[in-house]
């Protein structure tokens, strides 16, 4: 049953928001907590494992694996910024969220998605240099380069996306406070405002397409250049070997941006698509990539796989303190 709007207001409007998650399946939506909790557990454990392996294995202290570790950090952030609250809603009916917590969640979700996109871009650049300019790889892709890339990723997205929750918080929420979503997306929250939100919407769309769109375009350009170089390889199996170094990255990029495009498509045709479908896709977009990223790299990257096996064996054979 959907909770009614709270009519009590403060000097800033409504005192809190109520997240109702899946509006058409309220009576049994708690059953969704089981597969979602399982995915959350797998995502959390697998990303912690990747970070532990990279930290423990000296052979993995290289730029490519630093980017993979950075991706794992952002994946953990995506999970923990959304899933605990979703579990609370589905299992314990904890639908109320304070205004500051809501706007903080909005900010974290936006910047973490944008940071993950930017990390994919730098990983694509890493593969471009490795394949197209292999002799310069150790000169261009250095630890210093990785440090600069991290600073760029954090500052670019943190600064450009900060106005999104700030502008949303400045709107007036006169009486409606029921958010028909599982978390505080900007569109779902600002749709409750009783004053004009056109500027908020335009800014968010501009920044989203500017950040994610430019990242995707540059990634496509990088792989077009890689493809051009690979097609010129003459050695037997050289092209296949070159593409094998990019396969994991291509799989994850394809999934990440495909789901984003599906979300845009479903939002465009929300009148003919059940309301809960884009909500579920949104939830999965914050959960499935953190599950897939470490698994795909763990399975397809020999060094990571070897490090995981070594870590497991060391834990098994380690003496136990009684």
């Amino acid at each position: 049953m959907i909770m009614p709007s709270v009519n009590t207001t403060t000097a800033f409007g409504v005192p809190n928001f109520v997240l109702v998650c899946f509006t058409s399946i309220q009576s049994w939506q708690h059953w969704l907590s089981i597969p979602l909790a399982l995915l959350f557990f797998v995502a959390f454990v697998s990303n912690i494992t990747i970070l532990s392996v990279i930290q423990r294995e000296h052979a993995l202290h290289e730029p490519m694996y630093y980017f993979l570790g950075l991706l794992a950090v952002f994946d953990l952030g995506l999970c923990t910024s959304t899933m605990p609250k979703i579990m609370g809603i589905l299992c314990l009916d904890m639908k109320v969220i304070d205004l500051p917590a809501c706007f903080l969640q909005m900010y974290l979700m936006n910047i973490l998605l944008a940071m993950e996109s930017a990390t994919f871009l730098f990983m694509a650049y890493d593969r471009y240099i490795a394949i197209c300019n292999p002799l310069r790889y150790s000169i261009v892709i250095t630890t210093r380069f990785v440090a600069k890339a991290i600073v760029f990723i954090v500052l670019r997205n943190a600064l450009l996306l900060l106005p999104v929750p700030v502008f949303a918080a400045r709107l007036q929420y006169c009486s409606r406070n029921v958010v028909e979503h599982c978390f505080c997306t900007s569109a779902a929250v600002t749709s409750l405002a009783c004053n004009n939100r056109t500027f908020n919407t335009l800014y968010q769309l501009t920044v989203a397409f500017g950040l994610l769109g430019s990242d995707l375009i540059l990634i496509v350009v990088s792989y077009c250049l890689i493809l051009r170089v690979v097609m010129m390889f003459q050695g037997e199996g050289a092209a296949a070997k070159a593409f094998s170094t990019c396969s994991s990255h291509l799989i994850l990029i394809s999934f990440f941006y495909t789901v984003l495009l599906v979300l845009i498509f479903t939002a465009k045709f929300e009148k003919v698509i059940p309301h809960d479908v884009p909500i579920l896709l949104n939830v999965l977009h914050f959960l499935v990539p953190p599950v897939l990223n470490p698994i795909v790299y763990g399975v397809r990257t020999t060094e990571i796989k070897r490090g995981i096996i070594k870590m497991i064996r060391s834990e098994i054979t380690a003496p136990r303190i009684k």
Side-chain angles (χ1 to χ4, degrees):
M1 180 178 179
I2 301 176
M3 294 182 64
S5 299
V6 178
N7 291 322
T8 305
T9 60
T10 65
F12 301 98
V14 297
N16 49 49
F17 290 118
V18 179
L19 300 168
V20 296
C21 230
F22 304 103
T23 54
S24 62
I25 57 171
Q26 288 282 297
S27 60
W28 59 272
Q29 68 175 3
H30 57 280
W31 290 107
L32 284 175
S33 64
I34 298 175
L36 292 180
L38 179 60
L39 287 173
F40 179 45
F41 176 77
V42 173
F44 190 84
V45 172
S46 57
N47 280 287
I48 289 293
T49 300
I50 290 292
L51 288 172
S52 300
V53 169
I54 293 174
Q55 189 273 326
R56 290 171 57 138
E57 295 295 321
H58 183 73
L60 300 180
H61 292 179
E62 297 179 3
M64 181 176 70
Y65 300 109
Y66 290 149
F67 283 125
L68 182 56
L70 186 64
L71 191 65
V73 171
F74 295 149
D75 282 338
L76 287 171
L78 284 173
C79 288
T80 54
S81 66
T82 56
M83 290 311 299
K85 183 60 182 177
I86 293 175
M87 290 296 103
I89 296 170
L90 298 180
C91 298
L92 304 174
D93 206 38
M94 298 172 58
K95 299 180 179 180
V96 175
I97 183 170
D98 294 336
L99 300 185
C102 183
F103 294 123
L104 176 61
Q105 185 187 60
M106 183 188 301
Y107 181 55
L108 290 176
M109 291 189 304
N110 286 331
I111 64 170
L112 287 168
L113 274 178
M115 287 178 181
E116 184 148 328
S117 173
T119 304
F120 281 133
L121 171 60
F122 279 100
M123 293 173 79
Y125 180 71
D126 173 272
R127 293 300 83 201
Y128 164 74
I129 297 295
I131 294 174
C132 299
N133 296 283
L135 297 179
R136 299 189 65 239
Y137 182 82
S138 60
I139 300 173
V140 176
I141 309 298
T142 62
T143 303
R144 185 182 180 87
F145 172 81
V146 175
K148 290 181 178 179
I150 292 172
V151 171
F152 171 80
I153 289 170
V154 173
L155 289 182
R156 182 195 76 161
N157 298 297
L159 293 177
L160 289 177
L161 288 167
L162 180 60
V164 173
V166 171
F167 292 156
R170 290 172 62 87
L171 294 173
Q172 287 294 316
Y173 301 92
C174 305
S175 58
R176 295 187 302 154
N177 70 336
V178 175
V179 180
E180 295 185 358
H181 214 297
C182 292
F183 37 70
C184 293
T185 66
S186 178
V189 172
T190 57
S191 66
L192 304 177
C194 53
N195 53 344
N196 192 290
R197 61 189 180 98
T198 303
F199 179 77
N200 299 57
T201 303
L202 288 175
Y203 182 84
Q204 184 177 13
L205 290 175
T206 301
V207 173
F209 282 108
L211 296 179
L212 301 181
S214 63
D215 289 346
L216 179 58
I217 291 171
L218 291 173
I219 288 170
V220 171
V221 170
S222 297
Y223 274 101
C224 286
L225 294 174
I226 289 173
L227 179 62
R228 188 184 68 175
V229 171
V230 167
M231 295 303 291
M232 294 188 295
F233 286 173
Q234 300 297 324
E236 183 177 352
K241 184 178 180 180
F243 267 119
S244 69
T245 66
C246 305
S247 58
S248 299
H249 189 229
L250 280 170
I251 291 170
L252 300 179
I253 287 175
S254 299
F255 183 84
F256 181 84
Y257 286 103
T258 298
V259 175
L260 276 180
L261 292 174
V262 170
L263 284 171
I264 295 172
F265 179 82
T266 53
K268 184 76 172 176
F269 297 94
E270 59 181 354
K271 293 182 179 179
V272 297
I273 295 175
H275 179 68
D276 287 342
V277 170
I279 294 176
L280 179 60
L281 288 174
N282 249 304
V283 172
L284 292 177
H285 193 233
F286 282 88
L287 191 56
V288 176
V291 172
L292 282 181
N293 292 347
I295 291 177
V296 170
Y297 272 103
V299 170
R300 300 184 63 88
T301 306
T302 303
E303 293 79 4
I304 295 289
K305 189 192 304 182
R306 188 182 297 124
I308 292 174
I309 294 172
K310 183 179 177 181
M311 185 176 69
I312 293 174
R313 286 177 177 173
S314 67
E315 290 296 325
I316 294 174
T317 59
R320 304 299 179 189
I321 300 176
K322 297 185 179 179

